[in-house]
Amino acid sequence: MRYSQILVPTVKEVPADAEIPSHQLMIRAGLIRKVASGTYTYLPLGWRTLRKIMQIVREEMDRAGAQEIMVPCLQPRELWQQTGRDADYGETMCRLQDRHGRWNVLGPTAEEVFTFHASAEINSYKQLPINLYQISPKFRDEFRPRFGVLRSREFMMKDAYSFDADEESLHESYMAMYNAYCRVFQRCGVEYVIVEAETGEMGGSGSHQFTVPCESGEDTTVYTEDGAYAANLEKAAVDPLAKQTADGEIPTPENVHTPNVGTIEAVCGFLKTQPAEMIKTLIYACDDDVLAVLIRGDHELNPEKLTQVLGGVAADLADEATIEKVTGAKVGFAGPVGLADRVSKLIVDHAVAALSVGVTGANQADYHTKNVVPGRDFPLEGDNIVVADVRNAVQGDTYQGKPLLFKRGIEVGQVFKLGTKYSRKLGATFLDENGVDTPCLMGCYGIGINRIMASAIELYHDKNGIVWPISIAPFEVLITPVNQDDETIAQTAETIYNQLTEAGVEVLLDDRSLRGGVKFKDADLIGIPIRVTVGKKSVAEGNVEVKLRTDKDSAKTPIEGAAQTVLELIQSLKSNLEK
Ligand code: ATP
Ligand code: MG
């Protein structure tokens, strides 16, 4: 491809909403352009990279025995109502009515449609196991689209769905995908970590997330230094804290007037105490039940852990009227003393149970209670009392005695064991060896194609631009004739271009009549891994210069052998990724 003929609109300035390096560089290097909030067009260089990632994913899915199909993005809302996910997805799902008044959704994922097909096409255990996948656009009306293509409203996802007859076979299908994912990220050249994850609203029994470690990621990975444990923040377990011992006898609880102090910090300032000595009382509603959850003032509730404690049912924060009814006070003054009898369940976080004494809301407007002793002033045992781990891990926590460390990352893929949640609801059953109608055991496996692209840039860039891994670079080689108007230079560049193109290499020839400096700037920005510079001086000596984007210096190579040298370089860069 000739630079003069390809649309690569590199720019100096980036819009203010481009906060992170990958977003800025994708715009500066002319890979993408924004159409509207969270929707992007991929220009030729961007699309070439995206296609390469899709091809690697496709090859690894096929190698693992999955079969590619294509299902519609436009899906009947009814299917989503049958599984209950029309409600679960809430406003994140794009819905639209057709001209006949029928409701459709633009698929945010495709469990429902794949299960619908399984239900029609799979009848016998003889057809199992089977794994079907697609690579297609997905739509999510994200509350806050940001970070360019990392959190967009339309994005490319590879989604695969496995159907198995029993647990053992499901585990094999799951591990085949898990291993295929390792190969995908390895081949794309992106560093990754695998962490245990919660299954969330997907349902199911097990999940792993593939995360690219980098500062601009929105996910937090929690791990122990020896690598024995790694989970995402939603899942990360913590050891219970040691029970604090009180200095002497704690006086009985005392209500204190705390007018005009709303936040934990304000209360602490007023009462001269610390957030770690405060007990927050959160009121939740779950079906018809009202629950109270106690969390230390400096901790955050973990909704996923709460869902686990409730046996897989998600609870929502109660509305104002419910809170006032249960606590007898306006919002902001709930406290555990006397509350256990007024709620269906009192869930006490381990760290609260470990306190020797704390400060809480008084269930009375503008009052807090001091000298509250867990176990003395509110119960830690009883039919409706649960003491559990329901908070996020924080610095200082341990797991199995080892300190927990924290690292930010970008979730690029996730694998789930789904079990029978979808197959039961949509009737995806098969006759087993004994002729018994049995629901398929399912797994689902997603990869964010665009996120791989952005993560690679997050990981590999410098102040001048992108530094692509060769496997996903838009071109493998860039040939830069320093002066296109010089006949010898142009001719030499053209010859090497032809030799490499014939050898099957993806080459970009910068045939623009621009100053060398401008071309070099663009070269660094678009980040092609190998650059062949054809300059006056070296050509006069019978040489060209070959340089890796990762290197500072170039090496002189005789013109005749240049194509061969480049081919060998490509081989060695590629084989590094295949290891
Ligand atoms: P997140 O927690 O980041 O919102 P998710 O867990 O909801 O993502 P999944 O349903 O597991 O995402 O989707 C599979 C993959 O699709 C994710 O691992 C991610 O790489 C990608 N993905 C999800 N949402 C987006 C988005 N808004 N923009 C780009 N890629 C996305
Ligand atoms: Mg996910």
Side-chain angles (χ1 to χ4, degrees):
M1 178 65 79
R2 289 163 199 280
Y3 210 130
S4 60
Q5 287 164 14
I6 185 173
L7 178 64
V8 187
T10 56
V11 288
K12 284 207 182 72
E13 300 300 320
V14 288
D17 69 350
E19 304 162 50
I20 59 168
S22 60
H23 189 186
Q24 294 167 351
L25 285 169
M26 284 171 91
I27 290 174
R28 280 185 53 208
L31 306 182
I32 58 165
R33 285 294 181 263
K34 178 168 153 180
V35 176
S37 168
T39 59
Y40 292 89
T41 290
Y42 284 80
L43 297 177
L45 289 190
W47 184 238
R48 286 180 75 96
T49 287
L50 215 56
R51 276 176 41 193
K52 285 189 153 183
I53 298 170
M54 288 192 272
Q55 188 53 27
I56 290 173
V57 170
R58 181 173 283 125
E59 284 168 18
E60 292 307 328
M61 287 297 111
D62 293 348
R63 186 206 298 267
Q67 301 167 52
E68 186 169 6
I69 65 168
M70 187 70 191
V71 311
C73 297
L74 189 66
Q75 305 167 2
R77 186 177 180 186
E78 233 169 64
L79 267 182
W80 290 79
Q81 286 166 333
Q82 282 179 47
T83 60
R85 286 214 300 176
D86 180 45
D88 291 347
Y89 258 98
E91 290 181 306
T92 305
M93 189 145 71
C94 301
R95 301 174 179 84
L96 61 134
Q97 223 171 358
D98 64 23
R99 62 170 72 196
H100 304 293
R102 286 181 292 247
W103 278 99
N104 297 277
V105 312
L106 292 177
T109 166
E111 282 73 17
E112 279 73 2
V113 178
F114 276 76
T115 314
F116 161 83
H117 289 305
S119 131
E121 314 303 335
I122 296 171
N123 314 304
S124 156
Y125 71 94
K126 290 181 189 146
Q127 294 168 280
L128 301 177
I130 188 168
N131 186 331
L132 301 169
Y133 78 96
Q134 66 170 348
I135 304 176
S136 72
K138 303 292 183 295
F139 300 84
R140 292 185 187 180
D141 195 359
E142 298 280 0
F143 178 69
R144 200 172 157 214
R146 59 183 187 151
F147 299 150
V149 304
L150 277 180
R151 186 165 298 284
S152 51
R153 295 196 299 161
E154 177 177 341
F155 56 96
M156 229 10 135
M157 193 206 287
K158 184 287 301 176
D159 43 326
Y161 306 87
S162 63
F163 300 86
D164 283 276
D166 55 47
E167 279 292 344
E168 203 184 326
S169 173
L170 166 61
H171 187 67
E172 270 174 35
S173 300
Y174 183 85
M175 288 316 294
M177 287 293 107
Y178 181 106
N179 292 325
Y181 276 36
C182 296
R183 289 188 55 88
V184 164
F185 300 119
Q186 168 76 24
R187 284 186 60 191
C188 288
V190 293
E191 189 189 334
Y192 65 98
V193 290
I194 304 173
V195 302
E196 283 180 28
E198 265 309 335
T199 49
E201 70 194 18
M202 300 295 289
S205 58
S207 177
H208 288 89
Q209 233 170 39
F210 291 73
T211 304
V212 171
C214 78
E215 267 313 301
S216 31
E218 292 182 282
D219 278 42
T220 302
T221 299
V222 183
Y223 61 104
T224 54
E225 194 166 19
D226 60 2
Y229 183 69
N232 65 11
L233 189 62
E234 282 80 54
K235 170 97 183 173
V238 295
D239 291 333
L241 302 180
K243 178 83 187 167
Q244 296 174 358
T245 42
D247 313 332
E249 183 96 0
I250 310 278
T252 51
E254 178 193 343
N255 284 1
V256 190
H257 194 210
T258 49
N260 307 321
V261 285
T263 61
I264 295 261
E265 289 70 30
V267 177
C268 286
F270 192 87
L271 293 176
K272 309 241 171 330
T273 177
Q274 301 297 323
E277 289 160 11
M278 296 279 306
I279 301 170
K280 285 190 279 195
T281 307
L282 306 168
I283 309 293
Y284 274 80
C286 180
D287 298 329
D288 291 334
D289 292 339
V290 177
L291 325 163
V293 187
L294 307 185
I295 295 286
R296 228 168 68 177
D298 60 334
H299 286 157
E300 258 178 60
L301 179 101
N302 179 317
E304 302 283 352
K305 290 185 181 176
L306 181 61
T307 303
Q308 292 302 319
V309 169
L310 298 173
V313 187
D316 292 315
L317 274 174
D319 56 31
E320 223 168 282
T322 309
I323 297 173
E324 286 176 14
K325 192 164 156 226
V326 172
T327 65
K330 68 179 180 188
V331 174
F333 296 92
V337 181
L339 200 61
D341 301 336
R342 289 186 252 152
V343 292
S344 326
K345 228 178 219 150
L346 178 68
I347 298 168
V348 184
D349 183 66
H350 275 302
V352 169
L355 285 173
S356 57
V357 60
V359 176
T360 77
N363 295 324
Q364 186 182 344
D366 298 328
Y367 278 88
H368 280 83
T369 311
K370 290 201 309 194
N371 306 331
V372 175
V373 176
R376 181 189 76 179
D377 302 318
F378 64 87
L380 293 177
E381 281 170 26
D383 287 347
N384 68 335
I385 316 288
V386 185
V387 176
D389 170 16
V390 288
R391 67 176 172 92
N392 285 341
V394 293
Q395 296 283 354
D397 274 325
T398 59
Y399 181 61
Q400 296 184 337
K402 297 173 204 158
L404 288 175
L405 304 173
F406 297 76
K407 193 156 56 181
R408 299 194 66 78
I410 299 170
E411 176 198 332
V412 283
Q414 191 162 5
V415 293
F416 295 89
K417 281 186 185 171
L418 292 174
T420 57
K421 171 171 169 177
Y422 298 88
S423 49
R424 273 183 202 282
K425 287 184 174 155
L426 294 169
T429 61
F430 64 96
L431 293 179
D432 71 9
E433 284 172 63
N434 305 314
V436 179
D437 203 31
T438 314
C440 293
L441 282 170
M442 287 177 60
C444 76
Y445 317 93
I447 286 189
I449 305 288
N450 326 55
R451 277 198 189 170
I452 296 183
M453 180 173 179
S455 326
I457 301 176
E458 285 297 325
L459 287 174
Y460 312 117
H461 68 269
D462 60 20
K463 66 179 191 323
N464 299 319
I466 303 169
V467 185
W468 285 117
I470 194 154
S471 55
I472 62 172
F475 290 92
E476 294 162 319
V477 179
L478 174 68
I479 302 179
T480 310
V482 172
N483 182 354
Q484 181 67 21
D485 304 325
D486 179 315
E487 190 77 9
T488 326
I489 290 180
Q491 203 46 56
T492 307
E494 188 78 24
T495 307
I496 300 171
Y497 173 66
N498 288 333
Q499 288 167 341
L500 287 172
T501 305
E502 266 163 39
V505 176
E506 299 167 27
V507 198
L508 182 62
L509 172 66
D510 194 348
D511 59 344
R512 297 174 299 170
S513 289
L514 291 173
R515 280 188 298 112
V518 177
K519 291 187 179 187
F520 293 144
K521 267 211 154 57
D522 277 343
D524 279 350
L525 184 55
I526 66 175
I528 308 302
I530 300 168
R531 191 178 84 199
V532 180
T533 308
V534 188
K536 203 172 177 87
K537 208 169 136 215
S538 39
V539 166
E541 292 165 0
N543 292 322
V544 291
E545 287 168 47
V546 178
K547 177 183 164 315
L548 291 181
R549 176 64 181 84
T550 45
D551 286 349
K552 251 172 101 190
D553 301 317
S554 55
K556 287 200 173 113
T557 309
I559 294 169
E560 312 80 69
Q564 190 53 37
T565 305
V566 168
L567 284 173
E568 281 160 19
L569 257 182
I570 294 175
Q571 260 326 311
S572 96
L573 290 180
K574 282 188 172 165
S575 65
N576 283 343
L577 297 177
E578 293 289 340
K579 272 177 201 151

